[in-house]
Amino acid sequence: QVQLVESGGGLVQPGGSLKLSCAASGFIFSNYAMSWYRQAPGKQRELVAAITSGGITHYANSVKGRFIISRDNVKRTVYLQMMRLTLEDTAAYYCNGGPAPTYWGQGTQVTVSS
């Protein structure tokens, strides 16, 4: 069955960096766009970044220039490199993708705090 498993979250100071990973299984990974979403307490889940099967990327304005989404089709993994993190980046980060109606990972917590 389809599985998306995120990892790499943690506690980081403002201005720091983290790299999230999402390992996919159960579908032909290279055929599908993949995305990262996040949800902060009391807020709606929002799209952070997306990458098409061909490698075209899209970013939310709030992370443009600070985050980089990438994929490794051999490793069946999508990454989110996060830099210059701010308090507002604190959230649970979720991987999304695969065949319709798409699938979600369990999430990984990112906490930015001094």
Side-chain angles (χ1 to χ4, degrees):
Q1 75 275 21
V2 173
Q3 278 195 311
L4 299 174
V5 180
E6 301 99 333
S7 60
L11 175 64
V12 63
Q13 291 187 337
S17 300
L18 275 178
K19 187 173 185 178
L20 306 182
S21 300
C22 171
S25 60
F27 63 100
I28 303 174
F29 179 78
S30 58
N31 285 0
Y32 294 94
M34 298 295 297
S35 303
W36 284 98
Y37 285 74
R38 68 185 179 187
Q39 188 167 18
K43 294 189 176 181
Q44 287 190 326
R45 191 171 294 190
E46 63 174 356
L47 177 66
V48 175
I51 185 167
T52 68
S53 58
I56 297 172
T57 57
H58 167 79
Y59 297 94
N61 286 336
S62 58
V63 307
K64 205 171 289 184
R66 299 188 299 120
F67 290 11
I68 300 173
I69 188 171
S70 61
R71 65 189 299 158
D72 185 328
N73 289 337
V74 174
K75 294 183 178 179
R76 304 169 59 85
T77 300
V78 59
Y79 304 98
L80 186 67
Q81 176 69 56
M82 306 184 294
M83 299 169 286
R84 301 195 299 280
L85 286 160
T86 72
L87 301 179
E88 289 70 35
D89 295 317
T90 294
Y93 284 71
Y94 298 90
C95 178
N96 175 267
T102 72
Y103 293 82
W104 294 93
Q106 81 288 352
T108 186
Q109 179 67 35
V110 172
T111 301
V112 184
S113 175
S114 55

